[in-house]
Amino acid sequence: MPAEPAPEPAPAAGEKTAAPPDGVVPPAEEAAEVERTPGDEPAAPDGKPAPADTTAATADTTGTTGTADTDTGADTDLTASAAPSPDTPATAAATGAPRRRRARGWTVAATAVAVAAAVTAGVLATGGGHRTAGTKAAASADGLEHTAVEVSPSTCGRGWGAAQQPHAGTQAFDLHNTAGSATEVYLKDPKTGKLFAEIEGLAPGATRSMVVDLGSGRYAFECQQEDTDAVTGPTVTVPGTVPQGPSSLPVTVHDLIPPTLAYQKWIKARMAELATDTGVLKSDIDRGDLAAARRDWLTGHLVYERMGAAYDTFGDADGVINGTAPIGQDPSADPDFTGFHRIEYGLWHGASAKSLRGQADTLDKAVRALKAQWSTQQMDPANMGLRAHEIIENAEQFELTARTDYGSGTNLATASANIDGTRAILAKLRPLLAARDTGLKQLDASLDRAQNYLKSLEHGGNWTPLAELTRAQREQVNADFGDLLEQLAPVAAIFDVRRTV
């Protein structure tokens, strides 16, 4: 397997890639700024930043909201690095490094959940310092009433009870971790297990606000300290007849196994289709019919692009089949640049059929090898919801910036195939999602709208290149994909597997 070229140096902090000729900033750059916002979570054991802390799960789905830090100066909560991982799309697109769509679970999880928090909560003001549990403060800068609550294995939920006169409405709980290790805190219905809000990675001695819209009903805090069993605090009843806000049932790995197996079966069928297509492409090139090769190249490439949720499982094969060359280097002179995009470069830059035969053979063999070993592979069920978000993120950062255009001008066709890929994984998750996401109908409509608009930019089999879009067309495409990214963030948060014991 050829080694991947070394990535070029990353741009300086805050540096952006150049805007396209139409002057419209690609959505990838806007997303990159959000993604580089530091979290305050401790690092995971593998050294990667943990998912961004949030009390949000979804907008109008789980009822959880984003957090506002109220940490004191003595807060020992660790801060994740603000710099993106070398494997993140933002970095790859900016530096021209080979396209990598794998091993990004931590980074994208942080992005997805952070976006979910922003969608649900908007901008929350930072609260004040720690107060004694059970005390209330006058409405602070955020306009909310705050109640101080202790969270630890021995004091989980102390500070909120009948003495504080629980009531419905939007309010903030200032959670103070009095234990010696980090904790996750959930506000839930103790009978049904439905979650209303959550905070992850609350460090020892730290205080953070959980903002939630409470209705009438029963609530309890659950504290999940590191290396200890989950502890549920006292049940608190909010009187009255006010309807409860949005909530979500937690999802377990066990819940996700059936849709994951169903998706793997779907991928197997696509691989058979892909192997047929790369065989046809190879045959076109072998007999010197480059017009047919350009047509059949797109057919095969779009099949591969629809399998977005499985890229992480493809391993090194993804780079061989669909890699990119570093920006600024001659793609034809890079021996490690292979696959669909290498053939694309040759087909649309006057290469002879003879010069492309080796590349077509390499692609076909790589696809057939991947197909042969797929039955031995196992996708991670915990990443399924995240992948739905990640596919659209990749489309924004690679396709809508023309980073992956090697001459065919078919980025919009690929973006449409990426939407197909998102639909495929949502179809497998739908039985679980339907009971948890009240915004699913809106998401379906947004997927339809975005894809229909892309298809309106295809005429007689010819797709409009990005550089030929009018400003209004580019803005519409950007807006559609930005909307999808926001709506898929709650899906990623809903399927964030949580401890249940």
Side-chain angles (χ1 to χ4, degrees):
M1 191 72 63
E4 293 179 335
E8 299 174 8
E15 180 180 342
K16 292 186 178 181
T17 53
D22 62 5
V24 181
V25 177
E29 296 180 2
E30 300 170 3
E33 291 185 359
V34 174
E35 293 167 17
R36 290 170 184 162
T37 302
D40 61 355
E41 300 74 29
D46 59 4
K48 297 179 182 179
D53 173 46
T54 171
T55 56
T58 68
D60 297 328
T61 55
T62 66
T64 53
T65 57
T67 62
D69 282 357
T70 57
D71 295 354
T72 65
D75 186 1
T76 58
D77 207 358
L78 301 179
T79 303
S81 171
S85 160
D87 283 338
T88 61
T91 304
T95 65
R99 185 180 191 181
R100 295 180 179 133
R101 289 186 287 191
R102 54 190 184 275
R104 300 192 305 144
W106 282 101
T107 301
V108 180
T111 301
V113 179
V115 173
V119 170
T120 307
V123 179
L124 297 177
T126 300
H130 171 61
R131 301 189 312 279
T132 303
T135 62
K136 292 186 178 181
S140 59
D142 57 14
L144 301 175
E145 181 181 288
H146 286 242
T147 301
V149 177
E150 292 183 12
V151 288
S152 73
S154 60
T155 63
C156 187
R158 177 186 293 173
W160 188 46
Q164 284 70 47
Q165 299 178 350
H167 57 85
T170 302
Q171 52 202 281
F173 295 103
D174 294 336
L175 306 181
H176 180 65
N177 184 4
T178 59
S181 59
T183 189
E184 297 180 1
V185 187
Y186 301 96
L187 183 62
K188 59 191 296 185
D189 182 322
K191 182 177 181 180
T192 66
K194 288 184 177 181
L195 300 180
F196 296 91
E198 65 179 313
I199 278 183
E200 296 180 354
L202 183 59
T207 302
R208 206 171 301 153
S209 289
M210 172 187 281
V211 179
V212 62
D213 183 10
L214 296 181
S216 302
R218 296 181 301 176
Y219 300 87
F221 285 102
E222 181 178 284
C223 304
Q224 296 185 359
Q225 212 78 24
E226 291 181 354
D227 302 320
T228 64
D229 293 336
V231 174
T232 300
T235 296
V236 176
T237 300
V238 174
T241 58
V242 179
Q244 289 185 325
S247 61
S248 179
L249 285 170
V251 175
T252 68
V253 171
H254 180 77
D255 295 330
L256 290 169
I257 289 176
T260 303
L261 293 176
Y263 183 78
Q264 288 186 195
K265 185 176 180 180
W266 183 86
I267 288 291
K268 182 178 180 180
R270 302 289 75 70
M271 284 187 179
E273 183 182 356
L274 179 64
T276 298
D277 292 338
T278 56
V280 171
L281 176 60
K282 180 179 181 297
S283 178
D284 293 340
I285 292 175
D286 284 345
R287 69 174 186 270
D289 189 346
L290 297 186
R294 281 188 282 271
R295 178 195 65 225
D296 294 330
W297 172 88
L298 182 60
T299 299
H301 186 237
L302 296 185
V303 171
Y304 187 80
E305 288 286 346
R306 293 186 182 103
M307 298 191 287
Y311 291 147
D312 186 62
T313 312
F314 290 167
D316 291 338
D318 182 45
V320 177
I321 294 171
N322 208 40
T324 59
I327 294 174
Q329 294 186 19
D330 179 5
S332 64
D334 184 354
D336 296 326
F337 180 30
T338 63
F340 277 112
H341 290 303
R342 175 63 183 88
I343 295 173
E344 176 190 6
Y345 182 82
L347 288 174
W348 276 271
H349 286 85
S352 66
K354 181 179 179 180
S355 69
L356 291 175
R357 286 173 186 164
Q359 290 292 342
D361 187 57
T362 296
L363 172 62
D364 189 49
K365 286 181 177 177
V367 167
R368 293 179 188 281
L370 182 62
K371 175 177 175 287
Q373 56 83 40
W374 178 247
S375 61
T376 66
Q377 300 303 305
Q378 210 169 34
M379 294 181 64
D380 184 354
N383 287 335
M384 291 292 285
L386 179 61
R387 297 298 181 234
H389 178 279
E390 185 181 17
I391 293 169
I392 297 301
E393 181 188 40
N394 272 310
E396 281 199 322
Q397 295 178 335
F398 289 107
E399 306 309 329
L400 301 190
T401 59
R403 170 65 182 91
T404 51
D405 183 6
Y406 285 89
S408 68
T410 58
N411 287 112
L412 295 182
T414 304
S416 181
N418 293 154
I419 292 179
D420 287 335
T422 294
R423 290 182 188 273
I425 193 166
L426 288 176
K428 307 307 179 188
L429 294 173
R430 191 167 294 269
L432 294 173
L433 194 58
R436 292 169 169 84
D437 189 354
T438 58
L440 189 55
K441 184 176 180 180
Q442 179 183 347
L443 174 57
D444 289 337
S446 296
L447 288 165
D448 289 341
R449 181 176 61 251
Q451 194 161 43
N452 288 338
Y453 189 74
L454 289 178
K455 289 179 178 178
S456 75
L457 301 173
E458 181 263 332
H459 308 283
N462 297 313
W463 289 84
T464 306
L466 284 173
E468 296 179 15
L469 294 178
T470 66
R471 185 181 183 90
Q473 289 171 332
R474 182 57 185 265
E475 288 176 343
Q476 183 62 55
V477 172
N478 287 1
D480 285 344
F481 273 76
D483 179 51
L484 288 180
L485 198 61
E486 287 191 353
Q487 291 192 53
L488 286 164
V491 173
I494 287 172
F495 290 109
D496 181 20
V497 176
R498 298 166 174 88
R499 279 176 53 189
T500 55
V501 293

